[in-house]
Structure formats: C-alpha cells, structure tokens
C-alpha cells in the first residue's frame, strides 16, 4: 500500500492528575482533582473524580466537606512539575518525527508517514514509550488532517476497543460516519457554543452534517476558517503544521493574591517581579516590546472597596530590558490607594517585534541591554531557582505574602534537589 503523509495527534490523559500520579502511585485508582490558582476550583479531574459527578470548575469549598467521604484527593497546581513533565513528553515525541508541533502543555501534532499497519504500530510505540519513560498515559489519533486526528484521538480515549490508539482510515466508513452522526458540532475542534447555534439554525447538528456541507456556502455564511474545518473533515489538509505557537501580539503576567495587598510598597514588589519575568519571556522568544500596560484591581466580591487603576506606558524604544520594563510598570504606583485591599495585579507588554529588527540610534542605546542583564538574570534563575535573584524590590527576600496559595502542593520532584523522590530497596 502507498505510504501517505498523515498527522498524529498525541494527548496526555488528564494531564495534571497523571503527572501527580507518576510520582505518587498511591493516587492510582483514587479520585483526584487538581485545583486552580489559590486552590480555587477543579481544573483537572481524574476519571474516578468525574464518576463522582464533579464538574469542571467546581469550587473547592463546595467539595471539601465531602472529600473525606468520597476519598477525594485535592492537590494544588504544581506548574513547575507539569512544565517539566510536558518537556519530557515532547522531547520523546520529537524522536518520532522531525515535524513536531507542540500545540499545548499536554498535546502535540506530528507529521508521520506509512501504511495503516505501520502507523498503528507507530502510535502504539509512542504510547508505550511515553508511559514507560515518563510515566503518564497518552492517547494517539492518526488521520489525514489535524481536525480528523483530534477526532480520532477523542474516539481512542473514549472507546476501550482502540486501546488508546486510533488510525482514522483503518476504521470502516460506516463506523466513522456513525460516530460523526452521534457527536454534536460543538464537539469538533474550533466550534464553540455561539457558532453551534448558528450552524443548528441551518440544519447542521452533527459532525457528519458539517462534513457534508458545501464548503463555499460555509465560507459565505461564516468564514474561511470554518470552511477549512469542513474541508479537513472531508479529508483535505487545510490547517498547516506550525513550528512554534507563540502569541506574537502580547504577553500578560497576572495573578490573584493569596493575601490582598494594601500598600503601594507591596504593589511595587509585584510590578518588579513581573517586569523581570516579562523580560525573561521576551528574551526567550527573541522579542522586544514597545508598550507596557500595568494594572491592579480589588475583588469583585468586595463591594466596599472598589479600585481598578491602570496605566499604559509607551516605551522609548523596543526593549526586553528588565530595568526599563520594571520602571515602566512602576508608573502604576501613584494610582494605588493606600489601605485598599487589592486582590490582583499584572502587566501586559504589547506591540512586540523581533529583537534587532530596528537598531536604535546611538543616543538611545540602552547600556543594560548591551550588557545582557536580562539574559544573566534568567540564567541565574534557571540554575538556582525562582526567587534566587531579582532587580530592586523584585529581589527582596523574606517571602512576599502575595504569592499564590498552595496548601496542597505536591513536591517538585524533577526540578529541585531537596524535593527529589527517594527510593529505598528492601
């Protein structure tokens, strides 16, 4: 048989919960949820937790009273662990194809080629290798297009007969059409609630209905993007592989506080830390920013104190320098009201452009960038950990009380020496 180019979609099952289980086998078979920032609500649920009827986004304070009765294990988000596990998974997948697109923290697309039997064997090998070497379960969907690959992955995840690997073209046509007939259009990649209602008004209710629609009519009624989805469902590749998915328009650094901040000094430290983080992220992607916006706000549940200050600062030149970004963020401080309980703050850098795209005149050259201060800070942080160094108020030690709540945080098993798991032989 001909070896046709195909796309494999690999997705980690219940990623956050699976990453926790990889280092804590006692969690296997138990209902596990991972909570959002500040231990707010459930953002990941193991199959056992879903079986209890726990909904995505359900607040922890509602679940806590019955957690012991259910045997429910709740964990704080351990983003450092999840990021490292993700990197290990993607590195392994990269060995199977030079054509790898990391789509999110827990999923990726790969360009693959082979006969149906060879592709099924490849999918099973990827699944087994990730499980063996990283310890997390994945499902694999293989199809001629990205949209169909995601659909095949969804089928593989919810149908035990596939054992986690589905090659779309290997499934008989009547079975494929039966699946597409049972699934609503809202289950397809890129279709949300509002778009579903518009499609339903045209008599398009199932994925099968959408796959049989006229692409030109869909383009005229909706958009070129929607037409591409129809063509992809019909087996015509229209969504290209991307080497890297980076938001080129803006970067946002924002977080809710475990303990509200009531002073300008506290907000100054927040702005300093975020300015340094923005510099590191820009430098990592070879970008510079021309505009910085800083903002803060009180809680929506605190009607007594309401304050939402913000400031937009045009930078004198495109920059990723931590000193300039921090100074620009501090422009928010005069607008902070002392005594007001601020629950959130952040910065956003916009008008991004590649580094070195426009060389500044000698009069406007920045000595900090020439000395690569931002790169130096990021190298030290990467080697010695977050909080090991910082500029000005961003480097004050003593543990700021505005950092996120994480009362149920698991160890960062793979990135901190003093938190490495210990194995004892009997």
């Amino acid at each position: 048989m001909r070896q046709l180019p195909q796309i494999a979609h690999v997705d980690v099952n219940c990623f956050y919960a699976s990453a926790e289980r990889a280092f804590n086998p006692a969690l296997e078979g138990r209902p596990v949820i991972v909570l959002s920032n500040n231990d707010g609500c459930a953002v990941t649920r193991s199959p056992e937790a879903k079986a209890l009827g726990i909904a995505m986004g359900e607040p922890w304070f509602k679940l806590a009273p019955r957690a012991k009765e259910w045997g429910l294990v709740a964990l704080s988000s351990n983003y450092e662990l999840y990021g490292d596990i993700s990197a290990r998974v993607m590195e392994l997948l990269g060995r199977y194809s030079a054509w790898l697109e990391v789509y999110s923290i827990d999923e990726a697309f790969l360009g693959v080629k082979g006969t149906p039997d060879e592709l099924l064997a490849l999918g099973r090998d990827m699944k087994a290798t990730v499980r063996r070497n990283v310890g997390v379960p994945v499902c694999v969907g293989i199809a001629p297009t990205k949209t169909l690959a995601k659909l095949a992955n969804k089928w593989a995840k919810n149908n035990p007969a596939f054992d986690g690997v589905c090659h779309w073209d290997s499934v008989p046509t009547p079975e494929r059409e039966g699946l597409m007939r049972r699934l609503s259009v809202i289950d397809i990649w890129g279709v949300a609630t509002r778009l579903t209602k518009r499609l339903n008004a045209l008599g398009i209710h199932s994925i099968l209905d959408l796959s049989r629609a006229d692409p030109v009519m869909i383009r005229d009624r909706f958009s070129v993007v929607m037409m591409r989805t129809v063509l992809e469902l019909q087996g015509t590749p229209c969504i290209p592989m991307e080497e890297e998915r980076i938001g080129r328009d803006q970067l946002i650094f924002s977080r809710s506080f475990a303990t509200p901040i009531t002073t300008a000094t506290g907000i100054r430290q927040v702005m300093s830390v975020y300015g340094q983080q923005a510099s590191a992220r820009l430098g990592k992607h070879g970008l510079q920013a021309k505009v910085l916006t800083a903002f803060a706000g009180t809680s929506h549940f605190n009607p007594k104190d309401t304050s939402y200050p913000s400031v937009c600062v045009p930078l004198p030149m495109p920059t990723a320098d931590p000193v300039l970004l921090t100074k620009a963020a501090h422009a928010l401080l005069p607008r902070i009201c002392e005594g007001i309980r601020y629950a959130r703050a952040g910065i956003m850098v916009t008008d991004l452009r590649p580094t070195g795209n426009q060389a500044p005149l000698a009069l406007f050259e920045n000595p900090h960038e020439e000395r690569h201060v931002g790169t130096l800070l990021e190298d030290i942080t990467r080697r010695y950990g977050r909080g090991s160094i910082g500029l000005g108020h961003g480097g004050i030690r003593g543990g700021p009380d505005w950092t996120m709540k994480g009362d149920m945080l698991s160890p960062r098993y793979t990135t901190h020496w003093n938190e490495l798991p210990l194995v004892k032989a009997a």
Side-chain angles (χ1 to χ4, degrees):
M1 296 181 65
R2 287 190 305 142
Q3 294 191 356
L4 300 175
Q6 301 267 290
I7 293 177
H9 177 250
V10 184
D11 182 35
V12 183
N13 303 339
C14 302
F15 177 56
Y16 290 176
S18 296
E20 298 285 358
R21 284 174 165 174
F23 292 93
N24 187 356
L27 298 178
E28 291 287 350
R30 299 185 61 183
V32 177
I33 61 172
V34 177
L35 302 173
S36 61
N37 292 347
N38 291 317
D39 296 343
C41 58
V43 293
T44 292
R45 303 155 296 154
S46 68
E48 297 82 3
K50 293 176 183 177
L52 291 173
I54 298 174
M56 176 68 79
E58 191 157 358
W60 168 238
F61 73 86
K62 290 185 178 181
L63 300 172
R66 301 194 63 185
K68 187 174 181 180
E69 173 191 345
W70 289 337
L72 178 64
V73 178
L75 298 166
S76 303
S77 294
N78 191 342
Y79 295 119
E80 194 166 340
L81 173 66
Y82 308 151
D84 187 66
I85 294 296
S86 173
R88 292 168 186 244
V89 171
M90 301 309 165
E91 192 275 332
L92 276 178
L93 295 179
R95 300 179 186 180
Y96 289 91
S97 174
W99 193 17
L100 172 70
E101 175 189 337
V102 179
Y103 185 73
S104 68
I105 192 172
D106 63 343
E107 59 182 320
F109 291 103
L110 295 87
V112 293
K113 196 173 184 180
T115 64
D117 289 342
E118 290 171 343
L119 292 174
L120 278 171
L122 179 68
R124 295 185 183 115
D125 188 43
M126 286 192 287
K127 176 177 177 287
T129 299
V130 173
R131 182 65 166 172
R132 181 177 64 251
N133 293 336
V134 184
V136 295
V138 302
C139 284
V140 183
I142 305 174
T145 70
K146 278 186 172 182
T147 303
L148 287 176
K150 283 185 73 77
L151 188 58
N153 190 303
K154 185 183 185 76
W155 203 359
K157 189 172 296 186
N158 293 287
N159 190 333
F162 289 111
D163 193 26
V165 179
C166 173
H167 179 234
W168 186 257
D169 289 341
S170 295
V171 180
T173 300
E175 291 186 30
R176 297 202 308 258
E177 292 185 349
L179 170 73
M180 297 170 76
R181 185 179 292 109
R182 293 192 300 270
L183 293 178
S184 167
V185 287
I186 200 171
D187 292 317
I188 201 65
W189 183 32
V191 178
T193 304
R194 184 178 299 179
L195 191 54
T196 297
K197 292 179 179 178
R198 293 179 60 195
L199 289 167
N200 291 166
L202 294 176
I204 299 174
H205 298 277
S206 69
I207 295 177
L208 184 62
D209 294 335
L210 185 60
S211 70
R212 292 175 173 175
D214 179 10
V216 177
M217 182 274 291
I218 292 294
R219 181 199 63 192
D220 295 340
R221 293 289 189 97
F222 298 92
S223 66
V224 172
V225 174
M226 198 64 213
M227 181 185 74
R228 289 173 183 161
T229 298
V230 174
L231 290 171
E232 288 248 325
L233 287 173
Q234 295 174 354
T236 302
C238 297
I239 304 175
M241 296 282 284
E242 302 175 19
E243 292 184 1
E244 192 172 14
R245 300 183 72 255
I246 304 170
R248 297 283 179 175
D249 297 328
Q250 62 184 22
L251 290 175
I252 301 176
F253 297 82
S254 176
R255 187 169 292 169
S256 298
F257 307 138
T259 303
I261 295 178
T262 59
T263 65
T265 301
I267 296 294
R268 181 191 296 272
Q269 186 177 14
V270 176
M271 294 294 105
S272 299
V273 171
Y274 287 162
Q276 181 178 329
Q277 290 179 357
S279 170
R281 185 72 61 81
L282 289 169
K284 177 181 178 181
H285 296 304
L287 298 173
Q288 294 178 321
K290 191 67 173 61
V291 179
L292 182 143
T293 301
F295 55 89
T298 52
S299 171
H300 296 292
F301 302 100
N302 180 17
K304 181 180 177 181
D305 295 329
T306 56
S307 177
Y308 301 95
S310 64
V311 61
C312 182
V313 183
L315 300 167
M317 58 187 172
T319 183
D321 176 53
V323 177
L324 291 181
L325 295 177
T326 301
K327 286 182 177 179
H330 287 174
L332 178 70
L333 300 179
R335 306 189 183 197
I336 298 297
C337 301
E338 295 283 340
I340 296 292
R341 294 168 58 84
Y342 290 99
R344 189 178 185 87
I347 68 171
M348 176 174 64
V349 289
T350 55
D351 193 2
L352 307 185
R353 56 196 68 184
T355 300
N357 196 39
Q358 180 180 353
L361 297 175
L363 180 63
F364 299 102
E365 287 180 353
N366 182 8
H368 303 113
E369 284 193 291
E370 289 184 356
R371 296 170 184 169
H372 306 291
V373 173
T375 304
L376 174 63
L377 292 175
E378 180 62 13
D379 289 344
I380 295 175
T381 299
R382 188 181 301 111
R383 183 171 181 178
Y384 297 104
R386 186 73 62 187
S388 58
I389 191 171
L391 290 170
H393 288 261
I396 292 178
R397 303 306 295 271
D401 59 4
W402 50 267
T403 52
M404 283 197 304
K405 183 188 297 183
D407 297 335
M408 296 165 280
L409 186 68
S410 57
R412 295 160 293 184
Y413 299 101
T414 61
T415 55
H416 287 252
W417 286 107
N418 57 344
E419 297 180 26
L420 289 178
L422 300 177
V423 178
K424 298 181 180 179

